[in-house]
Amino acid sequence: MSVTEETTANVTEADLTAFIYREARLLDELRYEEWLSLYAEDAHYWMPAEWQQTDPKLQASLMYEDMLLLRIRVERLSGARTFSQKPKSRAQHLLQAPQVDEIDMAANRFRTWTPFHYAETRGDEFTMYAGWARHEMRLEEGQLKIVLKRVDLVNFDAPMGNIQLFM
Amino acid sequence: MPATYADPAQLRALVKPEAVHRDLYTDPEVFRLEMRHLFANTWVYVGHASQIPNPGDYLTTEIGDQPVMASRHTDGQVHVLYNRCPHKGTKIASEACGNTGKFFRCPYHAWSFKTDGSLLAIPFRKGYEGTGLEESEAVRGLAPVGATKVYRDFIFARLAPTGVGFEEFFGESLSSIDNMVDRSPEGKLVLEGAPLRYMHPCNWKMLVENQTDTCHPMVAHESSAGTAVSVWEREQAKGGPKPMAVEVYAPFMAPYDFFEKMGLRVWPNGHGHTGVTTSIHADYSAIPGYYDQMVEAYGKERAEKILGENRHNTVYFPNIMVKGPIQTLRVFKPIAADKTLVESYTFRLVGAPDMLFERTLMYNRLINAPTSIVGHDDLEMYERAQLGLHADGMEWVNIQRLYAEGEAEDVTDVAGGTSERQMRNQFHAWLKYMLPEGQAQEAAE
Ligand code: FES
Ligand SMILES: [Fe+2]
């Protein structure tokens, strides 16, 4: 990828990689308010339910959520009458080093691809998932923000139990 | 209670008008009998004809625990067949949906079958000369189920060779399927979008009961729908129209009185629906252009009648639920006494704006996905019930709400929307089709 010196001074591969790791860490530490702050106000979190899906709205998705829906989720997790969180769930991400697919300073667009294993537990239950996370990001006032996080599970078409947290 | 449910008297003792015994949910013997009797004697949903539009197309599924497939024959007819090679039992079709070409070919020894199931050829057939194969059941090819019916593109089958007829079984309940189909300006549905598949650690009947349980949303879904409403109330200060997702979530928080007034209707054979006068689906924003298309297709009066029918959940006993105004269909597939696979399907109204299908898909993922917060609320309740039922302090599950002694059974009737009457209706039908043929009539005397 050809990036001028001037632009690499702004956003480097290392910046993007660190950002992806930081997101996973916030999720693993259940720091959801800080996690939400990594997202742009017009961002979406997308989990397709079809192979090589192209359309989030006119094809089936497991999730296609804007910031309002993500805030509802986060608030619900700590609700007094959220019985499916008694006991609470926990999560752990194991990320492969993110691959940087695009650094385009002119368009203010940065994209990464990150294979992962993800564990979600609740009570005595422990469930493993595997897939690929794609992040599209932009700079807003010098801060990287996620515009789209796309999570493709390797077994998106298999029956699953509750997935209550975020991959 | 001892597990001797092959004895009809023991089975009958499990169902009272206002309570059912917990063994209905927990006992593997009862589950096995359900697979053998209930799912064989009733008409069970198999799939939608739009999944297999062309000759050679097939889909695979289960009726109870029986592997079956629906195949579109050369002449356009749909055949529902057991998915089992007559030679040594190998499953013939392994994909959810596909096209087999002119014939099915068993991958093991290459016996082949026409798309109506009949035997086409056996390789090196002279090895069977003089063996009596012609008299064997194997020579007949893939076994058909007892009876098949395609109603407005919805494929149903009855495994048992004899029994209740399709029209007799469903009767007026078909009006909910009619309404869903009529909502297309062209009177046609296409099944589109992958099904959302959600595994539940509970008995399948808990899910079926829940479809007409209107006293749980404002309680169990306070966490999801209630939070959605409160977050939206805070956010709406930022301006903009009410998002479609909030329109979907918010009615779950409607008060008891709303659900009571919405009413429910029971039909014979365990079918029934909530939302007689109105429902939680009645107040969605209009989709631009759709009303005009409907008026053009049907005329104003009929179009308004179709769109004014806002049924909530229609249960087709034993194990599907249809939402006409949303165009979804959920199948509750029994896996074990304490395990159920829920598959939620979406339909596109042919000729209607894309935005309607977008809403259908949104509804499905917000409510029916394993990632759905509403789904999380519900699953938690089923799971706790499945565990709680093991408590020996009590053996009965109460379904007495708005029950009156002498309540008519197996009839068409309307009740208050918070009644548990549809649950009672389902259990009456459950017993009727669990008992060996003919005994249901004797039992009623
Ligand atoms: S098992 Fe099918 S051909 Fe032998
Ligand atoms: Fe519910």
Side-chain angles (χ1 to χ4, degrees), chain B residues 210 213 216-217 220-221 252 374 377-378 382:
Chain B
N210 186 254
D213 183 325
H216 87 281
H221 298 307
F252 281 74
V374 170
D377 294 338
D378 280 323
Y382 306 137

Side-chain angles (χ1 to χ4, degrees), chain B residues 86-143:
Chain B
H87 181 210
K88 298 189 83 175
T90 307
K91 261 174 111 171
I92 296 293
S94 59
E95 302 202 65
C97 242
N99 183 288
T100 193
K102 292 212 181 322
F103 56 89
F104 291 102
R105 180 178 180 275
C106 179
Y108 202 172
H109 314 96
W111 288 27
S112 58
F113 313 93
K114 294 182 195 160
T115 45
D116 63 358
S118 59
L119 183 67
L120 179 62
I122 298 177
F124 208 38
R125 189 163 181 160
K126 66 181 177 196
Y128 287 105
E129 272 168 23
T131 64
L133 181 76
E134 297 311 316
E135 278 75 56
S136 75
E137 61 173 12
V139 84
R140 295 202 290 265
L142 300 173

